[in-house]
Amino acid sequence: MDVLATVMEQGRLLVGTSSPRNHQVKTYQKIFCCVTAFLVILLLPYIHIGVIHLKFWVPNKTQVDREHCTCSCFDTVYKGSYEKPGNVGYKHMYFNATHQTFKIWLFTLAFVLVFFECLKHLLSLWFQSRLRWTMLVVFISDIFPHYYSWWSTFNYYNDDFYEQFYHQLFFSITELLATVVVVCLCDSQVEITTSKVLVVVSISCVHLVVGGLDQFISQVFLDQGKLFQRVRNIGFLIPDFIHIFIPLCSFYRKKDGKECTRFQCLCFVLLIFIGVCVGRFLLK
């Protein structure tokens, strides 16, 4: 972790700041934050679809005949009077005017805006020498679960497949709650308190239990899942362990004699119990 902090500190110096804490971020540094956040969001779907899927996962997909392609299920509403449903030509992208399309737009817009603002905030903390590196690692580990949540929601609405919708929504909401706390703790001026740590750790424990009982054991340990299912489950497992290990270590390093009270321990156990019951039994 010290090596990471040193590397990032050198990078901060290269982009023009050796300022003390509480330094106001300059205009060109704000532009750097915006451009960097934009590029990260831009590259995520390209890496996912344009590289992993196109080049490695399904490189032998049948090529589309653009000259004779027809989109008979396209309602052509967004094209106005230019085209009518039926024998319409090839489109690089088309969408139908349905409430599912609006919900896909809503979730996508929310994901992009929130992720963009989080990245800007973290880069600003870096410029002000207020970034807590351990929590940055926790945040980075959250990128895959959140991206998967968005992509799953996209496909549920796009395919009209809702069998696992509320189960996934449970993971998405709880992951978001944990990430809110993690982003707050990325600011070194924010105290690492027992309550904040217990929120992050309890949510991750719930994910481990529910995910383990749901898919991980059968698809990974019993080798009943396909390759992408095993990779996906491991991709969820590692962030949950990081969310438990790093916050606990950070807390005990800085606790200054503070211990968890009996009430806090009871709340911790109760949160895990309720979370497992909701995620495992009520939303199946």
Side-chain angles (χ1 to χ4, degrees), residues 250-269:
S250 299
F251 172 71
Y252 281 107
R253 285 177 59 188
K254 299 181 179 295
K255 67 179 182 177
D256 298 327
K258 298 178 182 178
E259 299 287 350
C260 294
T261 65
R262 186 172 300 178
F263 175 75
Q264 289 171 329
C265 292
L266 180 61
C267 290
F268 175 69
V269 174

Side-chain angles (χ1 to χ4, degrees), residues 30-279:
K30 293 180 180 178
I31 295 174
F32 175 83
C33 294
C34 291
V35 171
T36 303
F38 172 79
L39 290 176
V40 171
I41 296 173
L42 175 69
L43 290 175
L44 278 177
Y46 175 76
I47 294 171
H48 168 207
I49 301 172
V51 177
I52 296 176
H53 278 213
L54 183 62
K55 302 300 182 181
F56 299 103
W57 192 246
V58 283
N60 299 318
K61 279 274 189 174
T62 303
Q63 294 295 316
V64 174
D65 184 356
R66 298 186 182 185
E67 295 297 325
H68 302 92
C69 175
T70 60
C71 302
S72 59
C73 60
F74 177 27
D75 63 23
T76 72
V77 170
Y78 88 83
K79 295 296 290 183
S81 60
Y82 289 101
E83 291 180 314
K84 294 182 179 180
N87 187 19
V88 298
Y90 175 83
K91 300 288 183 294
H92 292 282
M93 183 188 75
Y94 72 89
F95 59 87
N96 293 312
T98 65
H99 66 86
Q100 287 92 340
T101 302
F102 179 74
K103 290 177 180 177
I104 289 172
W105 167 246
L106 176 63
F107 274 91
T108 301
L109 189 64
F111 173 81
V112 170
L113 289 177
V114 172
F115 190 34
F116 181 78
E117 290 300 323
C118 284
L119 292 175
K120 280 177 54 184
H121 173 67
L122 294 174
L123 287 168
S124 297
L125 292 177
W126 173 44
F127 278 121
Q128 298 174 76
S129 299
R130 290 170 47 189
L131 187 59
R132 183 176 277 128
W133 303 104
T134 51
M135 290 301 161
L136 175 65
V137 173
V138 179
F139 175 82
I140 292 174
S141 73
D142 248 343
I143 293 177
F144 171 72
H146 283 304
Y147 184 84
Y148 181 87
S149 294
W150 165 76
W151 184 240
S152 296
T153 303
F154 183 103
N155 282 292
Y156 286 143
Y157 280 121
N158 197 40
D159 300 342
D160 278 330
F161 177 79
Y162 306 108
E163 182 179 337
Q164 294 290 324
F165 177 80
Y166 290 106
H167 192 56
Q168 178 60 46
L169 188 63
F170 168 78
F171 282 94
S172 300
I173 293 175
T174 51
E175 283 166 358
L176 184 60
L177 291 174
T179 301
V180 168
V181 178
V182 169
V183 171
C184 290
L185 292 177
C186 282
D187 188 344
S188 60
Q189 294 185 356
V190 175
E191 183 183 1
I192 300 178
T193 63
T194 305
S195 57
K196 292 184 179 72
V197 170
L198 290 184
V199 168
V200 176
V201 173
S202 61
I203 289 175
S204 297
C205 288
V206 170
H207 288 175
L208 285 174
V209 175
V210 176
L213 294 174
D214 187 27
Q215 295 177 334
F216 188 84
I217 294 177
S218 60
Q219 294 179 354
V220 178
F221 281 117
L222 300 181
D223 200 24
Q224 296 176 359
K226 297 179 181 179
L227 176 61
F228 82 91
Q229 292 174 323
R230 295 197 295 271
V231 172
R232 176 194 63 191
N233 288 319
I234 293 174
F236 293 148
L237 178 72
I238 294 174
D240 283 328
F241 275 120
I242 290 175
H243 277 63
I244 294 173
F245 179 74
I246 291 182
L248 285 177
C249 289
S250 299
F251 172 71
Y252 281 107
R253 285 177 59 188
K254 299 181 179 295
K255 67 179 182 177
D256 298 327
K258 298 178 182 178
E259 299 287 350
C260 294
T261 65
R262 186 172 300 178
F263 175 75
Q264 289 171 329
C265 292
L266 180 61
C267 290
F268 175 69
V269 174
L270 188 61
L271 283 173
I272 294 177
F273 176 77
I274 294 174
V276 170
C277 289
V278 172

